[in-house]
Amino acid sequence: MDTRLQDGAEALLEGCPTAEVSRPVGQWTVAEVGAWLTARSGAGELAELVREHAVSGRALLRLTEGTLRRMGVAPRSRRRELLRELLRLRLQQELEELLSIVGGEHPPRWGHGLMAGTGCDD
């Protein structure tokens, strides 16, 4: 991998708060998924739905708007907000995997930060 590209990927992760768990998201338990959701403002009811539907980390990464609707997540804006958070989580995981493949240090995880085009926002 081009060093400039690797440095750019690592720069995206700098300054992002660390996550509650250090394992890959796909290995999270239902309780860890609930903790991740609870850490987000106003997500307590989502954490309860996750427990009710036994959503593990692997399942979390595969949620769609239709799945969230069938689970009872409403309104649509709430589903969209959660899907944006999930996209950030997937992107973070992909970056970490790519950096580990090229031999870079494992970057810190973040649980709250919002990934924008050039960095993280809170």
Side-chain angles (χ1 to χ4, degrees):
M1 176 187 258
D2 185 332
T3 306
R4 292 173 301 171
L5 187 57
Q6 182 176 349
D7 291 344
E10 289 170 347
L12 280 174
L13 298 173
E14 284 180 16
C16 297
T18 57
E20 299 80 10
V21 243
S22 59
R23 294 184 314 167
V25 177
Q27 296 176 7
W28 287 2
T29 64
V30 173
E32 289 168 325
V33 171
W36 180 78
L37 285 168
T38 301
R40 272 126 197 85
S41 60
E45 71 280 358
L46 293 177
E48 184 57 39
L49 281 173
V50 160
R51 283 187 279 281
E52 199 175 296
H53 292 274
V55 177
S56 65
R58 187 173 180 194
L60 177 72
L61 292 172
R62 295 182 174 159
L63 289 177
T64 64
E65 185 168 1
T67 306
L68 293 172
R69 187 176 358 92
R70 287 188 298 277
M71 286 174 62
V73 178
R76 183 175 187 219
S77 60
R78 188 71 170 135
R79 291 192 299 269
R80 294 290 178 131
E81 178 185 338
L82 179 56
L83 289 171
R84 279 191 298 274
E85 286 289 327
L86 290 173
L87 178 58
R88 288 181 192 99
L89 199 58
R90 287 183 198 113
L91 289 172
Q92 172 203 356
Q93 183 170 304
E94 289 294 321
L95 276 174
E96 289 175 351
E97 289 174 9
L98 288 171
L99 288 172
S100 70
I101 289 170
V102 298
E105 284 187 21
H106 222 59
R109 295 179 166 273
W110 70 85
H112 308 262
L114 305 177
M115 188 172 148
T118 58
C120 296
D121 302 319
D122 278 325

